[in-house]
Amino acid sequence: MLYCTKCRTICEDSTRACPNCRRSRSLRPAKAEDEVFFMKVHEGEAAELSEIFESRAIRHRTEPVKAGFSTSVYDPEFLPTDRNIYVEYQDLERANEAAAEGLEEPAPPEEEGEMPKGKRMLIQSVSIIAFMIIVMLVVLATDQIAAFLKSLFM
């Protein structure tokens, strides 16, 4: 496997350039102590994986995505709570196994079935009417408050 020193990912030996950063000068054979990008997760999953890795003596490190650079609130690809996890190349297989075991999602509860179409339409209609009534009440209350405040100053 080849290791990219720029983005710290591994790729196949047959590649000429890193598939992530497109640099060819950064590729070299992977060494056992190289920190390899493992995955990007949110803060909670990063803490869970850190506990799992520490319990299995897997050397790892987490850091904020973009390594401390400011992330845009409007960039859906990177959230401020995202973390990159890096593991040593020699521990990569063990980390994959540990993550697969540790982050298994519990089975979703079985649904009893969909709501009948008529009942769903009735609930949606009632919700729309209730929303319209709430909006009207807010508008009327605002008008009353504005009239009261106006009478105080006139």
Side-chain angles (χ1 to χ4, degrees):
M1 298 297 273
L2 294 175
Y3 176 74
C4 178
T5 56
K6 181 180 180 209
C7 64
R8 298 185 279 181
T9 58
I10 56 171
C11 52
E12 297 296 323
D13 290 330
S14 60
T15 57
R16 294 182 184 265
C18 176
N20 293 326
C21 65
R22 309 280 189 239
R23 303 244 346 233
S24 60
R25 295 189 322 242
S26 302
L27 293 178
R28 64 168 171 74
K31 298 177 186 172
E33 65 275 359
D34 286 335
E35 282 189 339
V36 177
F37 174 75
F38 184 65
M39 68 173 53
K40 178 181 84 168
V41 294
H42 65 76
E43 211 166 18
E45 286 179 331
E48 286 180 40
L49 280 174
S50 288
E51 288 179 19
I52 292 168
F53 290 167
E54 287 170 7
S55 70
R56 296 184 184 196
I58 297 173
R59 289 177 290 277
H60 68 285
R61 185 169 59 86
T62 63
E63 65 181 36
V65 171
K66 293 191 174 185
F69 292 105
S70 150
T71 56
S72 170
V73 175
Y74 302 108
D75 188 355
E77 190 174 334
F78 301 104
L79 297 174
T81 58
D82 286 344
R83 300 281 183 261
N84 284 337
I85 298 180
Y86 298 92
V87 296
E88 287 190 4
Y89 180 67
Q90 63 192 357
D91 293 331
L92 187 59
E93 284 300 316
R94 290 184 21 212
N96 281 324
E97 293 169 4
E101 292 173 11
L103 292 179
E104 288 179 354
E105 295 291 323
E110 292 186 26
E111 295 181 19
E112 295 178 8
E114 282 197 31
M115 188 182 305
K117 186 176 180 179
K119 186 175 180 181
R120 185 175 57 238
M121 287 181 64
L122 176 68
I123 290 174
Q124 288 175 346
S125 300
V126 169
S127 297
I128 290 170
I129 292 169
F131 177 74
M132 290 173 59
I133 290 171
I134 290 172
V135 169
M136 289 172 46
L137 290 173
V138 168
V139 168
L140 290 173
T142 305
D143 284 343
Q144 292 295 321
I145 292 171
F148 174 73
L149 290 174
K150 188 176 179 181
S151 70
L152 289 176
F153 295 109
M154 293 288 173

